[in-house]
Structures are given as C-alpha cells and as structure tokens.
C-alpha cells in the first residue's frame, strides 16, 4: 500500500463511511422493533433507531430531542441500499480531495457543520410550515454531502465530474444545476420521500461558510499590507547571510508541508523530522495567532511573519 492510501485509511472520509455502514447494519437488525406515535389524528410507526435518532421536528420541539439535528445524518433508509451507497459514494469523491487539501480536522468540522446546518434548516422550515414534515422523520447524510458538493465546486471549480458516470460537467456548473434543481423540486412538491429542504440547507450553510472565509480573506489582505511594511523595515537592517538563512528555513517549511499533505508524516526525511522537533521545543504556545485558514505557506509576507514558526507547527500537528 502506498503512503497516499495509508493517509486515506486514517482520514475522516474513510472513518465516516465505515461508521455509516456500521450504523446501517445495526439498523437492518432493528427494523422489526417499531414504535407507534401520534401524527395529528393518525398514527405513524418508526423503528426504534429512527424514532430516537432520526430528525423528527415535533420531537425536537416538544420532547427536547435536540440531538436529532446531529444524529439523523448517520442513519439511512433500509428499504434500499441505494440511499446509503450514493451518499457514501458522493462523500468519497467530493470529500477525499477536500480532506487532502484542508486537512482532516477542518474537513470534519465542515462536514458536521453542513450536516447540522441542514438539520437546523429542516427543523425551522417544518416548524413554520407545520405540515406532515413536522411529524415524520428525516434521515441520511445528504445535507452534509450537498455541503461537500458546494465546497468542491468552490475549491475545484473547473474539475470535471461525470453525471450518471457518462456526462462530463464542470464542478461549478454542477453545484448551480443541483441547487436550482433542488429549489424547483422543493417548490413544486417533488418527491415526497426526499428532503429537498435538507439538500438546500446543506448548500446554504456551505455557502455561509465560504462567505465568512471571504470576509476573513479581506481582513487577511489588510494584515498582509501591514506585514509587508514591517518586513521591509526589518529587512533593511539584515545582512545577506541572515536573509539567506531565513529563505532557507522558509524553503524547508514549504517542502515539509507539501510532503506531509500529499504523503503523510511518514514520508518526511530524518532531517525534516528533526527540524520539526527543534521548532516544537523552541515554540512558545502562549501567544495569539491568526486563524488557521490564514496560513499561506507560499506567501512571502506570511513566511516572514514573526509568528510563522508557531503557525507552521500548528499546521503540522494536524498530520501527527
């Protein structure tokens, strides 16, 4: 097995897929354990797992089952394997490149954020609509997966994806197409057993995430302007030898992060590992740093910041 394969097996995409499959198997063995509950003047039935872990808006509001806006995304319909298969397939093709680019921690936070965001959307819409959706359960990872779709379109807009494994389309157009399709299906009534609200909720919360990131980017640019001015002041008093040392250290950091992101920590040379250990010993944690997303190892101003060693170590620790 190559190092990339090892990195994938230890990543959150693989773990989430395995966890969903495990929950699906447990669901298969518990489908006979049904609980009957009132839906207005009628009665409905749900398996024990769906009753307690699926998202039933009336239960969240009236019974206080607040955890359901989180747990629902790990359950799938047991009447057909396709529900689980297509969600996990989408999680794999969209999630793996994002985790490779972002790192496991940020990917996991984003995935859960979109899933919970979709759950909140389902809850709020059905709370005000007070239709049948207020009483029936919603299950599945589709909301989180649609958030991944949006992120993939934002991060890799020109990547080509095969619709139905045949028709090629750029990721950015696929996001727009799916968004408009889900909106149309929701407004027109669509398929009664598909939560188009959840899909739209995942897209919406993903969009909010990137809008916040864009605002951070604007703030970051102002920091870079200040950093550039301070860098020029500092460099004016440095000797050529000192500047060469700084450049060499920056090249080492670039190479380490490039290797560790593509092939994992084990791909580093002994010298690179010793360099990390040295920085770890010298680092002072008692300092306020920029947001993790602000680190750009290819930006000269960022590399010449006085806190670059601490930011670099914070990034490296994601892969330890």
């Amino acid at each position: 097995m190559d190092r990339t394969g090892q990195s994938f097996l230890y990543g959150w995409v693989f773990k989430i897929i395995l966890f969903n499959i495990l929950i699906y198997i447990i669901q298969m063995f518990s489908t006979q354990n049904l609980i009957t509950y009132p839906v207005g003047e009628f009665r409905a039935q749900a398996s024990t797992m769906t009753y307690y872990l699926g998202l039933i808006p009336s239960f969240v509001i009236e019974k206080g089952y607040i955890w359901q806006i989180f747990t629902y995304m790990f359950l799938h319909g047991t009447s057909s394997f396709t529900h689980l298969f297509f969600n996990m397939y989408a999680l794999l093709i969209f999630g793996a490149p994002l985790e490779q680019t972002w790192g496991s921690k940020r990917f996991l936070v984003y995935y859960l954020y979109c899933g919970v965001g979709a759950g909140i959307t389902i809850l709020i819409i059905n709370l005000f609509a007070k239709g049948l959706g207020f009483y029936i359960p919603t299950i599945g990872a589709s909301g989180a997966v649609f958030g991944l779709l949006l992120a993939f379109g934002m991060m890799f807009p020109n990547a080509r994806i095969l619709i139905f494994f045949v028709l090629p389309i750029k990721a950015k157009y696929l996001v727009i197409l799916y968004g408009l399709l889900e909106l149309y299906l929701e407004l027109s009534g669509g398929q009664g057993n598909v939560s188009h609200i959840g899909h739209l909720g995942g897209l919406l919360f993903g969009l909010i995430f990137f809008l916040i990131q864009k605002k951070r980017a604007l703030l970051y640019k102002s920091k870079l302007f200040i950093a550039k001015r301070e860098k020029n002041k500092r460099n004016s008093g440095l000797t050529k030898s000192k500047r060469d040392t700084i450049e060499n250290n920056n090249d080492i950091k670039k190479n380490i992060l490039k290797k560790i992101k593509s092939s994992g920590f084990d791909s580093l040379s002994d010298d690179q590992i010793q360099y990390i250990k040295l920085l770890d010993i010298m680092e002072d944690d008692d300092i306020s740093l920029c947001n993790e997303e602000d680190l750009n190892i290819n930006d000269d101003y960022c590399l010449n910041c006085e806190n670059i060693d601490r930011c670099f170590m914070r990034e490296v620790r994601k892969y330890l």
Side-chain angles (χ1 to χ4, degrees), residues 5 26 38 67 88 92 94 104 109 115 129 143 154 170 180 197 217 219-220 253 267 275:
I26 296 174
W67 61 83
M88 295 304 99
L92 176 64
F94 297 131
S104 293
V109 170
M154 298 291 285
K170 289 186 177 181
L180 294 176
I197 293 176
L219 294 175
Y220 181 56
K253 292 183 180 71
S267 65
Y275 181 82

Side-chain angles (χ1 to χ4, degrees), residues 188-209:
S188 63
Q191 295 172 278
N193 62 339
V194 177
S195 177
H196 301 294
I197 293 176
H199 298 172
L200 290 169
L203 290 173
L204 173 64
F205 273 76
L207 181 61
I208 292 172
F209 177 88

Side-chain angles (χ1 to χ4, degrees), residues 91-107:
L91 170 57
L92 176 64
I93 63 173
F94 297 131
L98 290 171
E99 182 173 13
Q100 194 74 18
T101 303
W102 281 346
S104 293
K105 180 180 177 182
R106 186 181 180 190
F107 166 79

